[in-house]
Amino acid sequence: MPRLRTVVAVAGVTGAAGTLVRRALRRRVQGSPLWPLPALEEPVSGRPRSRVLRLAVTARETVADGVVLLRLEGRELPRWEPGAHLDVVLPSGAVRQYSLCGDPADTGAYTIAVRLVDGGRGGSRELHEQVLEGAELELRGPRNRFPLVAAPGYVFVAGGIGVTPILPMLRSLPEGTSWRLLYGGRSRASMPFLDEVERLGGSGRVTVAAEDESGLPDLDALLADLPAGTAVYCCGPEGLMAAVAERAPGVRLERFTPGAAAGGDGAFEVELRRSGRTLTVEAGQSVLAAVRAELPDTVYSCAQGFCGTCQQRVLEGEVDHRDELLTDGERGDSMLICVSRARGDRIVLDM
């Protein structure tokens, strides 16, 4: 029982030495909730919060109509694999997610590409208009919900800026791998990295479906009679992803739109205990949306289960956790109301 002897020994140490020992022990306990058992490298569910990085924008380049590429440099950055993304904290404090589209072997820089979205929530406009070369951005991650799996062959479908997570995948595929890409967009001028994609594809692998050139993509021809085991990946507008999912039920999708994770599950009640109100969360509506209709000052940021801004304490009820952030311990008594829902008919929040 060596660790038990350590605890007994600490009790008899006094003065400055005792203070140092107790501090060391406290750090050990905080690092491992199951002490004296070792801390789990990864929680059973949920994920630990990512390290916060502050990186300088060292290059800024327009790579297509309405698309700007940002190079963010630092030292010994966490490694990533194709399909990974970053949480980017904007000057306003809002959080948005952008796929990494550079070289995973470059541990000194991350690269993202951002399309200016008219009528969006304003995140892309902040990056286009306020974040210039020399600026500093706070980042979290990288995280990967869209990893490239081993498969005998691949079909990729990219719509516009949705090519960004797919581009590193294409670069990483071993020579001789069977793959095809359908890359769609409003016009060739609006499609980032088009020249590189066509070079990677060589002859016959890449189909470009620009509306100013060849019309809408023919998904039926692309996805019919796929060989067994073919992995299908899609990233782009919601309509495109829905169409691909209808034709290829096992498709792997990457989406960063609020509400995509909020789901269309059944309605349930939420009691706000401190406010004395009971709300109905409709099917397809997030808890956050229902709460903000009554309490408009409720804070939130990403609305996608990444940043943790909307975390609320749960007093009663079982939670269907759908976030990408909370640890096991946090999930025991809290939830991110932007994406998670009740498992039953009712849940009570400390609001």
Side-chain angles (χ1 to χ4, degrees):
M1 298 288 289
R3 288 182 175 172
L4 179 59
R5 286 197 297 270
T6 301
V7 174
V8 174
V10 169
V13 180
T14 60
T19 300
L20 292 175
V21 171
R22 283 189 291 274
R23 286 178 180 172
L25 181 59
R26 188 180 304 116
R27 286 194 297 270
R28 174 63 177 140
V29 172
Q30 290 172 342
S32 177
L34 301 178
W35 192 88
L37 298 175
L40 295 174
E41 292 184 3
E42 294 186 15
V44 176
S45 63
R47 300 177 185 175
R49 284 181 170 80
S50 301
R51 176 176 134 197
V52 174
L53 305 169
R54 296 199 65 87
L55 304 185
V57 178
T58 59
R60 188 178 189 277
E61 177 186 359
T62 298
V63 293
D65 289 350
V67 179
V68 64
L69 181 143
L70 300 177
R71 179 177 171 85
L72 308 159
E73 292 193 3
R75 297 180 59 186
E76 298 180 357
L77 300 177
R79 293 186 176 275
W80 60 281
E81 295 181 350
H85 69 271
L86 292 171
D87 300 342
V88 179
V89 182
L90 305 178
S92 65
V95 179
R96 298 291 183 269
Q97 288 69 43
Y98 297 100
S99 296
L100 286 159
C101 57
D103 181 2
D106 184 358
T107 59
Y110 292 142
T111 302
I112 60 174
V114 182
R115 179 180 297 284
L116 179 61
V117 180
D118 293 328
R121 293 178 294 156
S124 65
R125 187 165 298 280
E126 281 191 63
L127 286 174
H128 273 253
E129 297 179 356
Q130 300 181 36
V131 178
L132 306 177
E133 192 169 327
E136 191 176 67
L137 284 176
E138 180 178 308
L139 311 170
R140 299 170 192 156
R143 286 198 293 270
N144 200 339
R145 302 177 307 157
F146 196 51
L148 184 65
V149 299
Y154 301 86
V155 171
F156 301 96
V157 182
I161 198 65
V163 76
T164 50
I166 290 174
L167 181 60
M169 295 182 181
L170 302 182
R171 295 182 186 133
S172 71
L173 292 175
E175 189 172 350
T177 301
S178 173
W179 65 269
R180 288 181 291 160
L181 166 67
L182 176 62
Y183 184 11
R186 293 190 303 273
S187 67
R188 290 183 67 92
S190 71
M191 298 166 69
F193 312 114
L194 180 56
D195 290 344
E196 181 180 357
V197 165
E198 290 183 317
R199 285 196 304 271
L200 288 169
S203 174
R205 281 179 165 171
V206 176
T207 299
V208 177
E211 293 178 13
D212 64 357
E213 184 176 273
S214 58
L216 296 175
D218 185 354
L219 295 176
D220 291 324
L222 178 73
L223 300 172
D225 301 321
L226 294 178
T230 300
V232 181
Y233 285 78
C234 180
C235 184
E238 282 291 327
L240 175 65
M241 291 194 290
V244 172
E246 182 180 348
R247 292 162 174 81
V251 62
R252 293 166 172 82
L253 302 173
E254 177 73 311
R255 46 161 57 101
F256 295 130
T257 54
D265 293 355
F268 58 93
E269 286 191 346
V270 175
E271 178 187 341
L272 309 181
R273 180 65 53 84
R274 283 188 286 118
S275 301
R277 309 181 194 194
T278 299
L279 318 174
T280 298
V281 179
E282 302 292 348
Q285 182 185 34
S286 69
V287 178
L288 175 64
V291 169
R292 280 182 56 83
E294 293 289 328
L295 304 176
D297 293 333
T298 301
V299 296
Y300 73 101
S301 184
C302 75
Q304 299 167 63
F306 293 116
C307 71
T309 304
C310 69
Q311 182 174 347
Q312 298 292 339
R313 186 178 173 215
V314 179
L315 301 178
E316 296 176 21
E318 187 178 358
V319 179
D320 178 9
H321 292 284
R322 303 182 180 186
D323 63 90
E324 295 286 336
L325 185 70
L326 299 183
T327 64
D328 280 347
E330 291 170 321
R331 290 185 174 200
D333 63 0
S334 65
M335 67 183 289
L336 299 190
I337 63 172
C338 64
V339 293
S340 297
R341 303 177 71 79
R343 285 193 181 277
D345 296 330
R346 185 172 178 273
I347 200 166
V348 181
L349 301 179
D350 185 23
M351 298 183 68

